[in-house]
Amino acid sequence: MRRTTSAAAAAIALAGVVTAAGPAAAATAPCTPDIIKLPGINSDSSGGGRLKDFGAGGLAVGSSANLPVYWTADRTAHAVPLPEGFQSGEVKAVNSKGLMVGTVERSADRAVAAFTYQQGADAVQLLDAGATGTVALDVNDAGRVVGRGADGAKEWLNGAVVRELPVPADAHPSTKIISVAGINARGDIAGTAQTEYYDADNDQTVTNTFPVVWPAGGGYPPYSLRVWNEGHWSVGTYARDIDDRGRVVGTEDFGYRDDQRRTAAVWKKPYDALPADPGKVSGYEHLELAAGSPATNVAVGTAVTFVEGYPNHIRAAYWPGQGPALALPHPAGASKDSRSEASAASDDDRVGGYFFDWDTGVSNAVIWTCASGQAYAPQG
């Protein structure tokens, strides 16, 4: 769950009015639209960074130069200390109390381990005693961390496992949890399961990749979310985030040779219907959703058009929760071939992600402020 930064955030986010005709104007909120390129860990402008989540008081987290970093309100990049033996990593999420979660990687064998880190601490804490194969994906304000260990999906609190996340009871015996996407304020968790088995009667391998929701507290069984297409290895539907209302955002991913398709998907309680499709950004053939705001119904991701199987036109996307999906602008002067992705949304109308300037070859973590007032429907 991508965090908000203040109790007043929702009011700010709702103050922007988005139309399909072009950039929207902020109505009453004292907000100045801007596109902020965050510096890299070496304090220059070519950080190669990606912003993954927002915390409180101007805190943001992500990566720069393949290192886990956080940015403070003064836009300074700070390195998260790497544990011995690891050379790279990324901060995946942060809560309002400055508790971060992420992964570090060892160059020698590409082994990955999960960590928590409290802003200002001298060292990270490795989860599962540093066991490789563990990935931490999100943390809520109660300090509950969710992710996937080498032996299954888990929830941690204060560094200790407090819950194993089971497969749904109605799933095929071959089903495994392949990823955990997020946890909301109440403690509901979203992830993705995959079933694969050989159907002897029809002489074929059956594959089904679908989202799962585990209700908070563990007292209720998990939900298997419905998907549009199943049964073939070339298509899978993945959960990417869950908001405080329990809304899940994700993407159906189809890939076979040069035929690539991405379709945004949104599920709402009581999870008894097929997902809603927000549609596409005008001028782009596909839309992926990566994150949602905690309380304002906004979802963000990437609009993309593939050429011969490769993503060739890529633009950060913004969906207000109803109406058309919209694009987010690039900084002034950027070439038409520049690329961007959105991967975080806050309740105070900020969107975070990544921008690559095609002309200079420089990439940066980036923040769109007053995003609802900048989002627009491309023309032509």
Side-chain angles (χ1 to χ4, degrees):
M1 185 66 248
R2 309 301 179 231
R3 257 56 16 241
T4 185
T5 60
S6 73
I12 297 173
L14 293 173
V17 179
V18 178
T19 70
T28 58
C31 186
T32 303
D34 197 3
I35 304 173
I36 301 167
K37 294 181 183 178
L38 294 173
I41 195 61
N42 297 319
S43 299
D44 59 21
S45 61
S46 56
R50 290 178 182 267
L51 190 153
K52 302 297 290 189
D53 199 8
F54 293 110
L59 188 67
V61 299
S63 65
S64 172
N66 295 319
L67 297 171
V69 304
Y70 62 94
W71 292 270
T72 42
D74 61 359
R75 302 178 189 173
T76 300
H78 304 264
V80 172
L82 290 168
E84 184 177 356
F86 292 89
Q87 291 77 37
S88 60
E90 179 181 46
V91 183
K92 303 282 189 180
V94 60
N95 70 10
S96 65
K97 300 172 184 177
L99 180 63
M100 307 175 199
V101 299
T103 57
V104 287
E105 184 172 312
R106 194 163 54 208
S107 301
D109 56 1
R110 313 295 291 181
V112 174
F115 70 85
T116 61
Y117 175 71
Q118 183 64 49
Q119 182 183 2
D122 293 332
V124 303
Q125 178 182 7
L126 292 176
L127 296 175
D128 283 359
T132 57
T134 301
V135 179
L137 270 299
D138 203 4
V139 58
N140 69 6
D141 286 348
R144 294 184 175 272
V145 176
V146 292
R148 180 178 47 80
D151 53 351
K154 303 178 182 182
E155 179 181 342
W156 293 267
L157 182 64
N158 298 323
V161 176
V162 294
R163 186 179 175 193
E164 305 278 355
L165 303 179
V167 300
D170 59 354
H172 187 273
S174 68
T175 303
K176 298 179 180 179
I177 306 303
I178 60 171
S179 67
V180 179
I183 182 170
N184 64 15
R186 191 177 71 170
D188 302 318
I189 301 166
T192 302
Q194 186 172 78
T195 297
E196 185 171 9
Y197 64 94
Y198 176 67
D199 180 357
D201 292 340
N202 296 295
D203 190 27
Q204 63 179 4
T205 298
V206 175
T207 302
N208 185 22
T209 305
F210 58 95
V212 176
V213 171
W214 294 269
Y220 299 91
Y223 296 91
S224 298
L225 273 56
R226 296 178 61 187
V227 299
W228 294 303
N229 300 288
E230 58 183 64
H232 196 269
W233 60 267
S234 62
V235 61
T237 308
Y238 301 85
R240 299 301 188 200
D241 202 2
I242 184 168
D243 73 9
D244 288 347
R245 295 184 178 96
R247 183 194 63 161
V248 176
V249 299
T251 300
E252 181 189 80
D253 185 326
F254 174 88
Y256 183 72
R257 296 181 179 175
D258 288 348
D259 188 2
Q260 299 288 326
R261 305 173 206 164
R262 305 291 185 269
T263 306
V266 179
W267 296 261
K268 295 182 179 180
K269 287 182 173 180
Y271 309 126
D272 57 354
L274 288 169
D277 178 0
K280 304 174 180 63
V281 175
S282 176
Y284 293 82
E285 296 179 359
H286 312 271
L287 175 63
E288 305 177 40
L289 291 181
S293 64
T296 60
N297 218 33
V298 168
V300 299
T302 305
V304 60
T305 294
F306 291 90
V307 177
E308 297 181 351
Y310 293 93
N312 202 271
H313 307 286
I314 303 171
R315 170 78 65 155
Y318 177 99
W319 184 54
Q322 60 183 354
L326 304 168
L328 288 170
H330 287 167
S335 75
K336 66 181 182 64
D337 294 319
S338 294
R339 300 180 172 190
S340 60
E341 300 174 9
S343 51
S346 73
D347 282 344
D348 61 0
D349 208 14
R350 289 176 299 159
V351 171
Y354 159 86
F355 171 71
F356 173 76
D357 190 310
W358 186 266
D359 289 342
T360 64
V362 173
S363 61
N364 293 87
V366 66
I367 298 173
W368 289 267
T369 62
C370 314
S372 64
Q374 298 198 62
Y376 70 102
Q379 304 296 310

